[in-house]
Amino acid sequence: MVLEFRDAGIYCPAADAYIDPWRPVDRALITHGHADHARPGNRRYMATEAAAPVMRHRLGAITLQTTRYGERHRIGDATVSFHPAGHVPGSAQVRIEVGGEVWVVSGDYKTTPDGLSEPFEPVRCHAFITESTFGLPIYSWPDEATLAAQINAWWAETIAKGQTPILGVYALGKAQRVLGLLDPSLGPILTHGAVEATNAVLRAQGLRLPATTQVTADLDLKAHRGAMVLAPPSALGSAWARKFGPVSTGFASGWMRLRGVRRRRAADRGFVVSDHADWDGLNAAIAATGASRVFVTHGYTAQFARWLRTQGYDAGVVETEFGGETLDDPETGTATTTEAPRA
């Protein structure tokens, strides 16, 4: 096998390297900068040029080799390259070829363009390791125009009621994607420090984002009436959020497709926004690889692998420590997933 599944993570013996290991190793090939995939403690890292700034911001002074998309590297007896995953800026699928056999590790991916991340590119392979965060038919995402209309309408309605809208978003990826959907003519955009720190990193590498103002202890909130506030979900309902007075809280997550999740989270509004592939996206991505073998990781693994077998794939489940999409930002708060809906 080109890849093995070990206690420390997904391992390539020919390269003596791990992909997104969850235990410290000598050489780590990293798909993207979220904390469940890019962990501290590895001796050497490799990632895309676009993923590097966030990784350095979060992991500190690491030994990091960067690569361009599609650039091939000979590591031991393996040929390694990184290809766009469409998940967050700089995210990648890792292609590994050994003796003419090609395996691809998807990391996290999204197949529909969002105007922020490098668009997903299918990679032909013999075996594909796929996530399945939203691997059930009930998960289907609205288009970007629909999302923009929904979020901006809520912003306008909330301000008209004399409240401040606070929208829970991941600090990396989702926050910047939502920023691109907001209509700045409605008012100023305020950000939690965790969101603004990531904005600064991405702006410094050339991403164009709407103007934002970080909420600090001395910020005059009265001078920012009508603002939309973006914060990690873990900040909703906190002392930090209470400083805004009457608020309306919203969540931006693929889990908002499930009835009852918003109610359990005590949110006023839920917006179906995800940086992971929906059901159609997962199936289309796998078909485009031409792979006959599929290994399913984090998410609805058993259900999705069973479905793939009915479609003629040699599909199985691989246990990993990746988190998928949670209802809290794993960078800033306790990550909580949600249970599968009853059949």
Side-chain angles (χ1 to χ4, degrees):
M1 287 174 53
V2 172
L3 297 177
E4 299 175 356
F5 304 102
R6 297 189 173 185
D7 290 343
I10 302 170
Y11 178 66
C12 177
D16 191 20
Y18 285 81
I19 299 90
D20 293 351
W22 43 87
R23 304 283 186 275
V25 301
D26 178 67
R27 185 193 295 270
L29 312 178
I30 303 298
T31 62
H32 65 285
H34 279 145
D36 57 329
H37 290 260
R39 303 185 186 219
N42 300 303
R43 192 168 77 85
R44 292 178 290 174
Y45 294 81
M46 185 177 186
T48 67
E49 292 174 337
V54 163
M55 287 179 58
R56 289 192 173 103
H57 168 68
R58 293 182 166 185
L59 298 177
I62 57 175
T63 300
L64 174 60
Q65 178 184 357
T66 62
T67 179
R68 296 185 297 274
Y69 286 119
E71 183 179 4
R72 296 197 171 192
H73 299 264
R74 191 70 177 175
I75 304 177
D77 293 326
T79 301
V80 176
S81 55
F82 289 62
H83 303 265
H87 176 57
V88 296
S91 62
Q93 307 165 79
V94 178
R95 178 189 186 274
I96 300 182
E97 181 175 353
V98 179
E101 186 172 355
V102 177
W103 287 43
V104 171
V105 181
S106 72
D108 292 333
Y109 66 95
K110 179 173 78 278
T111 57
T112 53
D114 60 13
L116 175 72
S117 308
E118 301 84 355
F120 177 87
E121 293 180 6
V123 181
R124 301 290 292 183
C125 58
H126 299 96
F128 187 58
I129 301 177
T130 181
E131 64 144 310
S132 61
T133 305
F134 294 105
L136 289 179
I138 60 170
Y139 295 107
S140 177
W141 308 149
D143 58 43
E144 298 296 287
T146 299
L147 285 172
Q150 291 173 344
I151 295 172
N152 288 313
W154 172 64
W155 183 1
E157 292 164 4
T158 301
I159 295 304
K161 295 176 182 177
Q163 301 172 320
T164 298
I166 304 180
L167 184 57
V169 290
Y170 276 15
L172 170 60
K174 197 169 294 180
Q176 295 76 35
R177 183 177 169 194
V178 167
L179 265 175
L181 300 175
L182 295 178
D183 178 2
S185 71
L186 294 175
I189 303 170
L190 304 181
T191 53
H192 184 280
V195 172
E196 194 58 32
T198 305
N199 286 349
V201 173
L202 295 176
R203 284 189 176 109
Q205 67 187 81
L207 270 71
R208 299 182 63 182
L209 300 172
T212 54
T213 300
Q214 181 179 339
V215 177
T216 59
D218 58 354
L219 183 70
D220 183 2
L221 295 179
K222 292 181 179 178
H224 294 80
R225 294 187 187 279
M228 166 68 79
V229 182
L230 301 182
S234 57
L236 302 186
S238 67
W240 181 89
R242 287 193 287 273
K243 69 177 68 177
F244 295 97
V247 300
S248 179
T249 57
F251 272 91
S253 172
W255 297 116
M256 294 300 107
R257 182 62 79 191
L258 289 181
R259 289 181 294 180
V261 171
R262 187 188 72 193
R263 182 178 63 253
R264 292 199 300 275
R265 298 292 297 187
D268 300 307
R269 287 292 303 271
F271 301 98
V272 181
V273 186
S274 180
D275 292 323
H276 296 259
D278 63 7
W279 172 259
D280 287 341
L282 289 169
N283 281 278
I286 292 168
T289 68
S292 58
R293 300 184 70 185
V294 181
F295 298 87
V296 182
T297 71
H298 58 302
Y300 292 104
T301 52
Q303 299 95 320
F304 193 52
R306 186 164 56 246
W307 160 257
L308 291 174
R309 287 192 289 271
T310 71
Q311 303 305 298
Y313 294 98
D314 176 7
V317 173
V318 174
E319 296 298 328
T320 68
E321 295 187 15
F322 304 136
E325 182 163 317
T326 69
L327 289 174
D328 285 303
D329 188 333
E331 312 297 339
T332 57
T334 302
T336 54
T337 57
T338 188
E339 71 274 13
R342 297 182 182 277

